[in-house]
Amino acid sequence: MPFTLNAPVHSDQTLKKSRFIGCVEPVAGRAGALARVAALRAEHPGATHVCWALMAGGHSAANDDGEPGGTAGRPMLEVLRHQDLEGVLATVVRYYGGTPLGAGGLVRAYTDSVARALLGADKVPVIRWQLLRCVLPYALEGWLRRELDGFGAMLAEVRHGDGVDATIRVPGSRAAALVARINDAGQGRVAWRKADKDDPG
């Protein structure tokens, strides 16, 4: 199961006079990640490099920002993968201290900056949501509202007409069990419809 973070976590270390400031934080996607990297560049105008790695929406990206190819972004990305993280951006701001670290030293520095930050991380499971839509008798509306809590589900929308047209947001792993429970309670009086969209995030 993939995890994301509740809040940003940081690290700060100095190696051979170079300072590495690490951060791992939740992001919604690539646009948010690029905006955050741009903000870091503005916050650290004297930094030599702002390297980053992103895992979001099932996509990954990594940027060495002028460091030798494969010594920064990719190793940072591997730390995120190893920790099964999703919807997160890792950044490391480097202030060069004048002493070269070599390729191996750079890989270790960038990897360690991300790993150190994650030591203090509060990880939470990523929930894949699914939308279900059904029309059920008015007599079952109260029962449905009470029942949803047990499935970690909620009503996304309710329309009242010939029956109660309910759109339900439920964790994907619990969807089949909830459908079975509603069908059982409805005894053939529940009509299922196609929801407008799936996985609302």
Side-chain angles (χ1 to χ4, degrees):
M1 173 187 291
F3 294 86
T4 190
L5 302 183
N6 255 341
V9 287
H10 302 88
S11 66
D12 197 334
Q13 61 176 331
T14 301
L15 300 167
K16 293 188 178 178
K17 299 182 182 175
S18 279
R19 185 181 178 199
F20 294 85
I21 305 165
C23 179
V24 186
E25 58 196 295
V27 292
R30 190 178 179 91
L34 293 176
R36 181 69 183 116
V37 170
L40 279 173
R41 289 189 202 287
E43 287 171 33
H44 298 274
T48 324
H49 308 280
V50 179
C51 304
W52 56 272
L54 171 69
M55 288 291 295
H59 301 289
S60 63
N63 189 303
D64 294 318
D65 192 36
E67 292 282 30
T71 62
R74 184 66 54 186
M76 292 162 63
L77 186 63
E78 287 308 311
V79 176
L80 300 183
R81 281 203 176 109
H82 181 70
Q83 301 241 4
D84 206 12
L85 289 169
E86 165 65 30
V88 295
L89 169 70
T91 54
V92 177
V93 176
R94 181 189 184 191
Y95 285 88
Y96 182 54
T99 305
L101 295 179
L106 287 173
V107 169
R108 283 191 297 276
Y110 282 102
T111 300
D112 198 36
S113 291
V114 175
R116 280 172 182 245
L118 287 170
L119 289 175
D122 181 15
K123 294 192 211 174
V124 291
V126 174
I127 299 173
R128 304 286 186 203
W129 294 96
Q130 187 174 338
L131 287 180
L132 303 174
R133 185 178 167 207
C134 63
V135 180
L136 64 162
Y138 276 91
L140 287 177
E141 183 177 4
W143 171 87
L144 177 67
R145 288 178 183 273
R146 292 188 299 273
E147 197 72 13
L148 292 181
D149 268 355
F151 289 87
M154 64 197 82
L155 281 174
E157 187 178 1
V158 179
R159 297 188 191 111
H160 295 95
D162 293 338
V164 179
D165 187 340
T167 301
I168 302 162
R169 191 170 182 254
V170 60
S173 59
R174 310 294 303 277
L178 179 58
V179 168
R181 181 85 175 111
I182 293 170
N183 283 339
D184 185 50
Q187 299 178 336
R189 295 173 296 158
V190 176
W192 291 94
R193 305 277 189 262
K194 181 170 172 51
D196 293 335
K197 59 181 179 176
D198 272 350
D199 193 18

